[in-house]
Amino acid sequence: MQTEIELSRHASLKLKERRLRISEIEKTVKNPDSVSYDLISKTLVAVRRAKIDGIETNLIVPFVKTGNVIKVVTVYPCRDLAKEIDRKEGTRWVRIK
């Protein structure tokens, strides 16, 4: 069974705005470096190192999985992953992988 990836309207806008490729989002949700659960938005959050416009960064992709459909809520690059995790882990994010 093939996993289907759908983008919310917000995620589609951010994809275009940030000039990201759908292939980077697919790689992030299918093969993340880490996954957390967001207690507030009730989403999974996939994180993966990525090269965007020639710059090494981290791609953060909050999503909801229902059956074989992954609905991407938003997507954003994050240069300082340690700071992002420090700010959210334990209060908002719970690491599951």
Side-chain angles (χ1 to χ4, degrees), residues 13-88:
L13 289 171
K14 294 303 174 186
L15 187 79
K16 289 175 189 162
E17 180 183 299
R18 295 174 173 142
R19 296 186 320 244
L20 300 170
R21 291 188 201 99
I22 188 73
S23 61
E24 286 298 329
I25 292 171
E26 289 175 355
K27 288 178 195 173
T28 302
V29 295
K30 291 180 178 179
N31 191 22
D33 294 333
S34 68
V35 178
S36 296
Y37 181 73
D38 188 319
L39 298 168
I40 295 172
S41 66
K42 309 274 192 262
T43 60
L44 293 169
V45 181
V47 178
R48 183 173 182 275
R49 290 291 295 162
K51 190 174 261 190
I52 300 169
D53 288 336
I55 299 167
E56 280 289 325
T57 189
N58 298 286
L59 195 59
I60 299 179
V61 182
F63 68 96
V64 177
K65 186 172 182 183
T66 307
N68 66 331
V69 177
I70 292 173
K71 176 89 176 218
V72 176
V73 177
T74 192
V75 56
Y76 61 97
C78 177
R79 280 183 242 185
D80 194 345
L81 184 61
K83 186 176 180 181
E84 183 83 359
I85 289 172
D86 215 29
R87 218 175 46 142
K88 292 184 177 175

